Structures are given as C-alpha cells and as structure tokens.
Amino acid sequence: MRNFTSVYDIGDLKVALQKAFEIKKNRFGFSDLGKNKTLLLIFFNSSLRTRLSTQKAGMNLGMNTMVLDVNQGAWKLETERGAIMDGDKTEHLLEAIPVMGSYCDIIGVRSFARFENKEEDYSEKVLNEFIQYSGRPVFSMEAATRHPLQSYADLITIEEYKKTERPKVVLSWAPHPKALPQAVPNSFAEWMNTTDYEFVITHPAGYELDAQFAGKAKVEYDQKKAFEGADFIYAKNWAAFADPNYGKVLNKDRSWTVDSEKMALTNNAYFMHCLPVRRNMIVTDEVIESPQSIVIPEAANREISAQAVLMRLLEDNF
Ligand code: CP
C-alpha cells in the first residue's frame, strides 16, 4: 500500500480486521517498526480524535510525530495554481508540500470539502497534490469525500459488537445547524458496501449521496421503517450533494433526531456516531448515554485503525 485514501487501498477486509484485532491485543508489540521514522500530520481543519489517536498510533510504533495546524502558525497558503499572489497568502501549497515531505517519512492530511466548487471537492485536489508532490506515502485523515480511518474503526467496532453474522446496519441522516461534508457518510457507505451486512441508508428527500458511494445500499426515506429490526444505527448529518443544492442545509427537521422511541423500533440496536456530535440535534441525551451507545469504544478504535494503516505503510514502503 503506497497511500491510504479509501477502502480500495486496504485490500481484503477480513485480513484488515485480523490485523486490527492482533494490534488491539498487543498494540506495543511493534514498537521497533517505526524507529527513526518521522510521521507528519497536517491539519487544514480542526480535530480532536484524529489528531490524538493518530499521534498515539505513531507513538505505539516508535515513530517521531510532528503535527502542523496549517491555519495556526504556518504561512497562509495559496492553493490555486496561476494565482497572482499579491494578497494575504504568503506561500503556495506547491512549494509547501515538497518542503513538508523533506522533513518526514509518512504524511497524514486532513482537508475537508470547502463547498465552493463541487468538482474541486470531489476531485480531492488537496489530498492528491500531497500524493503527487510530497514524495512520501500519504494517508487521509478525512479528506473532501472520504474519512477512511473513521470507517475502518467503525467496521472494527461493528465486528466487536455484532450478535449475528450479517447484521442490519442503518446509516441515518440527522439534523444539524451547519452544512457538513459528505465524507463520513460517503466513506461509511463505501466500507459497508464492501461487507456482506444488510445496509440501509435513510434520509429526507434531497439528501441523496453520490451514487458512487451509496452503491448497492437500500435507500429508505421513512426513518422509522428503516430502523425496524436494525442491529446498528449510525447517525450522521450531511449537507446536500445533488445540484443545484450542493453543500446546502435543506432542513433542520428535528423529527429526524435519533431518540428512544425510534431506537425501540430496532433489534436493541447499538448507537454509533463518529463524534463530535451535537446532542439533542443528532441524538438525544437519553440515547447517547444509554448502554446501547458505543460511541466511546468506537472513538477508541480510531487508535487501532490508525496503527493498522501506519503499520502497512511502514511495512510496504521502507
Ligand atoms: N471523528 C473524527 O474524525 O473526529 P475529529 O474530527 O475530532 O478528529
């Protein structure tokens, strides 16, 4: 594996899961693998879990880890080639990337969709420039269209908690005051579609995901019907994908909030969310604090997915 940007890079999911469980049993058993290797984590956007879990994973492997918040302390970066740089942007990303690459061995990048230009977002311009110009293996820490480290952790969590071989997993849109990217639901759908789980997506009309990610999932516009018999409810907000509403909030309908009444329709389902979550918009206090909520072990598995990916990058490239 040279880069990790989607489920297609990781190969056989059964092997990836075996590796994850091996790491979970013995996360400090590979501490020589990253010796004298430097991990650089670049954040164009905020983070709690990704920042900490990926640093921890690097430390478990004996790596030296550096973190750069591009918007706090670095020079303001221009991303458009051809721009006349007579404004407030001091450095071009096309110089910054190879310079960053010269100081490290592996680079993680977080760069969200900007919702200014759909084609630019969905072409993963920034992530691909890191792949093209850094000279280093690159992994996504959530890009414009996918969040594969999160989805890998979600898969590990489902495998740990599932009570049947082929659980019913429901991805449910839920309301949020601001426009959020489709990266988490896109990526979750892509990973779920790679398993043999029963996978259903429920959302109000107008929130259809890009078909390349929704894939073979059943789309059910009646949220309560979707919840019936579910083993896992994965809640998430996302902004509209389809034109002419790309990046827009079409409604904040709190009748889509995940509450105890809806959870009672399920097969005693576990509640999942990637976090951060807005309580009483996405999910009620009662549901997220219930014994069926597994959001904390789900977040803890981010360390495991990050370590599994870093191990593959170290093993395959050095
Ligand atoms: N789930 C997730 O990626 O969390 P952060 O945005 O805090 O990193």
Side-chain angles (χ1 to χ4, degrees), residues 75-78 85 87-92:
W75 298 111
K76 203 161 184 194
L77 291 172
E78 176 60 65
M85 290 173 60
D88 62 342
K89 293 176 180 162
T90 309
E91 179 156 23
H92 204 289

Side-chain angles (χ1 to χ4, degrees), residues 171-222:
L171 168 62
S172 178
W173 183 92
H176 192 280
K178 294 184 175 170
L180 297 186
Q182 296 102 23
V184 169
N186 281 346
S187 192
F188 185 72
E190 200 168 55
W191 283 66
M192 291 299 104
N193 281 327
T194 311
T195 70
D196 60 2
Y197 303 159
E198 181 184 349
F199 180 50
V200 178
I201 306 176
T202 183
H203 55 71
Y207 281 100
E208 290 76 12
L209 294 171
D210 185 345
Q212 69 168 306
F213 297 103
K216 64 183 182 186
K218 179 176 182 213
V219 175
E220 171 57 69
Y221 291 94
D222 181 336

Side-chain angles (χ1 to χ4, degrees), residues 10-23:
I10 200 88
D12 186 335
L13 285 190
K14 285 197 171 68
V15 176
L17 282 166
Q18 267 171 6
K19 195 73 197 167
F21 293 128
E22 187 190 339
I23 291 166

Side-chain angles (χ1 to χ4, degrees), residues 2-5 38-45 50-51 54-55 63-70 97 100-101 104-111 126-127 130-131 134 136-143 149 306 309-310 313:
R2 175 65 185 176
N3 304 296
F4 175 70
T5 66
T38 300
L39 173 63
L40 175 58
L41 307 179
I42 308 286
F43 288 90
F44 288 84
N45 310 94
T50 305
R51 176 190 306 264
T54 313
Q55 280 188 67
M63 300 185 84
N64 302 309
T65 305
M66 303 190 292
V67 179
L68 179 66
D69 283 298
V70 170
I97 290 173
M100 290 189 263
C104 67
D105 299 288
I106 295 178
I107 305 186
V109 181
R110 166 163 284 201
S111 175
V126 173
L127 185 65
F130 272 89
I131 289 171
S134 71
R136 302 294 175 203
V138 171
F139 65 99
S140 165
M141 298 195 297
E142 186 173 344
L149 284 177
V309 167
L310 286 173
L313 292 175

Side-chain angles (χ1 to χ4, degrees), residues 46-50 110 147 150 274-276 302:
S46 302
S47 166
L48 186 155
R49 277 143 292 273
T50 305
R110 166 163 284 201
H147 193 356
Q150 180 66 51
C274 62
L275 305 180
R302 290 292 308 276

